[in-house]
Amino acid sequence: MKMRNHTPVTEFLLMGIPHTQGLEHALFVFFLMFYLLTLVGNLLILLAILTSSNLHTPMYFFLGNLSVFDIFFPSVSSPKMMLYLLGQSRTISYQGCACQLFFYHFLGCTECFLYTVMAYDRFAAICHPLRYTVIMSPRVCAILTLSTWVGSSVHASVLAFLVFKLPYCGPTEVGNFFCDIPVVLPLACADTSLAHRVSVTNVGVVALLCFLLVLASYTRIVISVLRISSSEGRHRAFSTCSAHLTSVLLFYGPVILIYLQPASSPWLDSMVQVLNNIVNPSLNPLIYSLRNKDVKLALRKALIQGAHT
């Protein structure tokens, strides 16, 4: 693409979800409801984990980390989106757009890594129960958590650098409700082929590698569980994995669906982003509390103690 000689842009215009004109108030109520549900649900999960000594285990340590990221992940796009749904300006500064893109990929990649680490934790607990406390020692848990943060930071930094080192000189209309690579990169007034190839490869390799590691962990888990002689033992083993497996399917499901489409559309892309950014983070607390007796008991105790206080 030939370089266009125009004044560099200082802000972008968020166009929102395509084909939703006239539905601003309904969308505001929808997004506000899910955003509040996400905040309250994940804060309650954190409260239960922090106040109950029974939940001070590797599995719930990683679940607590997941809850923290589920609080921040929708916060990347939801507040700005709800403001312009109420009639505020749809513009976002150049720096604000860059921050949205960085934190979206940083938090999304961290969540992807966390699901992988949680699958490994379940593999160690079920396939090597006698060595579980050694395999998943506090030091190992801390190293794995720190690695997810550092790896995600590097991943997001590379993507943000490649996208925003390019010159932007108009147009400025971002065809979604937040800044992401597929809608920002086409606005650059320079050759975007390198940034496009690296971003697609980077995101694709990270997602595929994590998915394959989760798949390998659960393959080993299924093989080990099927060797358990009692049906009660098999049920107990599977029940410890059901919540995590449900969350993994909800995380990867929309991404797989969008990539299986022969031709993508802006409206479908936005719907998948809404599902990933807004809906899924609000479902994780329900999944882990409704399907986990320990979390429900700890949460009930914490709420009762708080009410008495």
Side-chain angles (χ1 to χ4, degrees):
M1 185 186 297
K2 290 184 69 176
M3 187 79 170
R4 296 198 294 265
N5 188 19
H6 292 289
T7 305
V9 301
T10 58
E11 60 185 23
F12 294 95
L13 184 66
L14 300 174
M15 302 305 293
I17 302 173
H19 313 302
T20 57
Q21 289 77 13
L23 300 174
E24 286 81 5
H25 289 92
L27 287 174
F28 172 79
V29 173
F30 173 82
F31 288 122
L32 179 63
M33 179 182 67
F34 274 101
Y35 187 54
L36 292 177
L37 186 62
T38 299
L39 296 181
V40 173
N42 284 289
L43 286 173
L44 287 175
I45 292 290
L46 281 174
L47 175 66
I49 293 172
L50 292 173
T51 57
S52 175
S53 58
N54 293 332
L55 301 185
H56 293 173
T57 63
M59 182 175 79
Y60 295 108
F61 171 74
F62 294 126
L63 177 58
N65 277 269
L66 182 64
S67 294
V68 171
F69 284 101
D70 276 341
I71 290 172
F72 287 113
F73 193 46
S75 300
V76 172
S77 57
S78 293
K80 176 65 179 177
M81 178 177 53
M82 287 188 289
L83 283 175
Y84 73 66
L85 287 173
L86 287 177
Q88 299 293 321
S89 174
R90 289 175 175 265
T91 59
I92 183 171
S93 67
Y94 182 90
Q95 293 80 4
C97 188
C99 286
Q100 272 197 341
L101 189 144
F102 171 81
F103 282 108
Y104 173 74
H105 285 277
F106 168 67
L107 295 168
C109 184
T110 305
E111 193 157 343
C112 187
F113 286 157
L114 270 176
Y115 281 129
T116 308
V117 171
M118 292 169 77
Y120 176 72
D121 171 72
R122 291 299 82 209
F123 159 75
I126 293 174
C127 299
H128 303 284
L130 299 180
R131 297 176 53 228
Y132 175 65
T133 55
V134 176
I135 296 173
M136 300 303 294
S137 65
R139 181 172 177 270
V140 171
C141 291
I143 291 173
L144 288 173
T145 303
L146 183 62
S147 299
T148 63
W149 284 63
V150 173
S152 301
S153 181
V154 172
H155 166 81
S157 297
V158 169
L159 295 180
F161 171 77
L162 286 173
V163 172
F164 286 96
K165 77 168 185 174
L166 297 169
Y168 291 87
C169 36
T172 61
E173 291 81 9
V174 175
N176 209 333
F177 59 90
F178 75 106
C179 293
D180 193 16
I181 297 172
V183 289
V184 173
L185 202 55
L187 304 179
C189 48
D191 183 14
T192 62
S193 57
L194 175 62
H196 178 74
R197 284 197 303 269
V198 174
S199 62
V200 169
T201 303
N202 200 350
V203 173
V205 167
V206 168
L208 181 61
L209 182 61
C210 289
F211 181 76
L212 291 176
L213 289 173
V214 170
L215 189 63
S217 296
Y218 273 100
T219 301
R220 292 291 306 275
I221 288 172
V222 170
I223 293 172
S224 296
V225 169
L226 291 178
R227 290 175 180 168
I228 299 175
S229 57
S230 67
S231 59
E232 182 182 351
R234 288 195 296 270
H235 175 74
R236 188 183 301 113
F238 275 128
S239 66
T240 63
C241 303
S242 59
H244 175 254
L245 191 56
T246 303
S247 295
V248 168
L249 293 175
L250 286 172
F251 181 79
Y252 283 102
V255 178
I256 294 173
L257 286 176
I258 193 66
Y259 279 106
L260 288 177
Q261 294 294 323
S264 182
S265 69
W267 183 85
L268 182 60
D269 290 346
S270 294
M271 289 300 101
V272 172
Q273 296 285 16
V274 168
L275 190 60
N276 272 337
N277 294 14
I278 312 298
V279 179
N280 282 355
S282 69
L283 296 179
N284 278 341
L286 296 176
I287 293 169
Y288 281 99
S289 61
L290 292 176
R291 302 180 68 88
N292 191 305
K293 292 180 181 178
D294 292 334
V295 173
K296 285 193 289 187
L297 181 60
L299 189 56
R300 191 178 298 117
K301 286 183 178 180
L303 293 176
I304 291 174
Q305 290 175 357
H308 287 166
T309 302

